[in-house]
Amino acid sequence: MLIQSPEQLAAFDRTGLGRSDPTRRVLLCPPDHFQVADVHNVHMAGQVGAVDPAVARREWLALRATIERIGLGVETLDPAAGLADQVFVANPALLGLDRDGGPLALISRMRYASRQPEVAPLREWAERQGARLIEIPAEVPGTFEGGGDAIWHPDTWLLWGGVGPRTESAVYRHLSNTLDLPIALLNLVDERFYHLDTCLAVIDTQRAAIVRSAFDTAGLALLAAGFEELIPVDEDEARTRLAGNLYCPDRRNVLLPAGAPTTAERLRAAGLTVHEVTTDEFLKSGGSVYCMRQGICW
Ligand code: ARG
């Protein structure tokens, strides 16, 4: 079922699914070949060739160290030459847990040709992990950029799906039917927030941080029905620092793009521990903390 109104969301019984999904490990891909090679979002304009590989590596190592410091294991994909965006491991699939608790991977169909070769290595990794693979059949039109646009509601058999420049609703219809999975659709209306993970970050079953201006009225109503509390990400910090791309893997610690003091303060006021992570080289590509990792729940 595709959910597009608060009434539909209210009618959906979230209880009793027996799903439990703490993030146990985090998948990363070292930035060995990271660069802004071609422009496929507004943040990348004027940045072709501008990434300093040594600085990018330092920032990535610090991100990795922060993840380890909060107690999560790290797995890495082997970076492949020529894949300039492979560091953004959130996109070529969405990992999750099936209803029976088994490993699940929804395999993406990337919008841009330069990113399409990222899919096979992540698919193979998931296959080696024994995950059930869900592929988009050829007859289903449209693209789907995995964890960039599709975000699990914590501990619930419910997916939030961003509809925008990278993912189309036909794919959500297919995934919803195939998995008998309710998917709540959110239109992305600002080109700066081109993936859902740039403007929605779930904290726990009741709370999420959002960039309000990235959504339309219907989307804001749906989010208000889905969460008891919506923590607003500061609009300037969301635009300039991708503060909305924060990552909360354990309902306690938040990894926040550095340089977002107003958002940091709001998260602290909500009782969360904030770890600022510098991702300036990755911001040149329109990505930050959340895009650079993929949570593994098995
Ligand atoms: N340069 C990448 C792209 O435009 C950045 C991807 C960021 N990923 C994300 N999940 N927001 O595809």
Side-chain angles (χ1 to χ4, degrees), residues 260-282:
T262 303
T263 304
E265 203 34 57
R266 290 176 189 166
L267 294 164
R268 284 192 202 101
L272 298 158
T273 303
V274 176
H275 308 263
E276 294 195 28
V277 183
T278 300
T279 56
D280 290 14
E281 293 308 296
F282 301 94

Side-chain angles (χ1 to χ4, degrees), residues 40-41 44 85 88 91 115 148 166 194-195 197 285-286 291:
H40 34 249
N41 66 57
M44 300 172 95
D85 269 334
F88 300 115
N91 302 142
R115 297 204 65 187
R166 304 297 183 91
Y194 61 97
H195 270 145
D197 70 7
S285 190
C291 326

Side-chain angles (χ1 to χ4, degrees), residues 224-241:
F227 296 92
E228 262 169 33
E229 188 187 347
L230 294 170
I231 301 168
V233 175
D234 178 78
E235 292 285 338
D236 269 353
E237 294 172 355
R239 270 161 222 285
T240 59
R241 312 299 301 171

Side-chain angles (χ1 to χ4, degrees), residues 31-298:
D32 297 22
H33 308 287
F34 173 55
Q35 188 50 268
V36 177
D38 56 339
V39 175
H40 34 249
N41 66 57
V42 288
H43 307 270
M44 300 172 95
Q47 301 286 5
V48 172
V51 169
D52 180 328
V55 178
R57 168 153 299 269
R58 273 205 299 280
E59 292 178 353
W60 184 86
L61 287 170
L63 167 66
R64 177 186 175 134
T66 307
I67 291 169
E68 288 171 337
R69 189 146 39 82
I70 63 170
L72 292 170
V74 169
E75 302 277 321
T76 51
L77 277 183
D78 290 334
L83 299 187
D85 269 334
Q86 198 183 14
V87 68
F88 300 115
V89 74
N91 302 142
L94 172 68
L95 304 179
L97 287 183
D98 219 336
R99 274 181 107 146
D100 64 4
L104 180 68
L106 314 186
I107 308 301
S108 298
R109 184 189 283 153
M110 303 299 288
R111 165 74 68 205
Y112 292 99
S114 62
R115 297 204 65 187
Q116 286 160 5
E118 293 176 37
V119 175
L122 188 49
R123 183 204 290 110
E124 283 153 25
W125 178 89
E127 202 166 19
R128 284 197 302 277
Q129 294 278 315
R132 173 185 177 199
L133 306 184
I134 306 294
E135 313 254 7
I136 308 160
E139 63 272 19
V140 174
T143 56
F144 168 64
E145 294 207 349
D149 273 321
I151 299 177
W152 295 106
H153 193 103
D155 214 10
T156 309
W157 188 238
L158 170 67
L159 196 62
W160 292 93
V163 176
R166 304 297 183 91
T167 300
E168 277 134 282
S169 58
V171 178
Y172 289 126
R173 185 170 302 285
H174 169 75
L175 293 173
S176 175
N177 291 340
T178 304
L179 291 162
D180 191 19
L181 169 67
I183 305 181
L185 299 187
L186 299 168
N187 290 320
L188 303 178
V189 300
D190 182 333
E191 62 179 0
R192 284 172 182 274
F193 307 112
Y194 61 97
H195 270 145
L196 182 61
D197 70 7
T198 62
C199 50
L200 168 66
V202 298
I203 305 290
D204 54 33
T205 56
Q206 302 301 344
R207 296 185 297 176
I210 65 163
V211 180
R212 295 190 65 86
S213 67
F215 299 100
D216 57 16
T217 317
L220 289 171
L222 211 50
L223 287 162
F227 296 92
E228 262 169 33
E229 188 187 347
L230 294 170
I231 301 168
V233 175
D234 178 78
E235 292 285 338
D236 269 353
E237 294 172 355
R239 270 161 222 285
T240 59
R241 312 299 301 171
L242 280 185
N245 200 240
L246 62 90
Y247 179 42
C248 179
D250 59 2
R251 305 164 193 210
R252 225 159 14 106
N253 291 289
V254 173
L255 278 59
L256 179 70
T262 303
T263 304
E265 203 34 57
R266 290 176 189 166
L267 294 164
R268 284 192 202 101
L272 298 158
T273 303
V274 176
H275 308 263
E276 294 195 28
V277 183
T278 300
T279 56
D280 290 14
E281 293 308 296
F282 301 94
L283 292 178
K284 295 174 181 171
S285 190
S288 186
V289 179
Y290 191 93
C291 326
M292 294 165 69
R293 50 76 283 159
Q294 176 97 233
I296 308 167
C297 300
W298 62 79

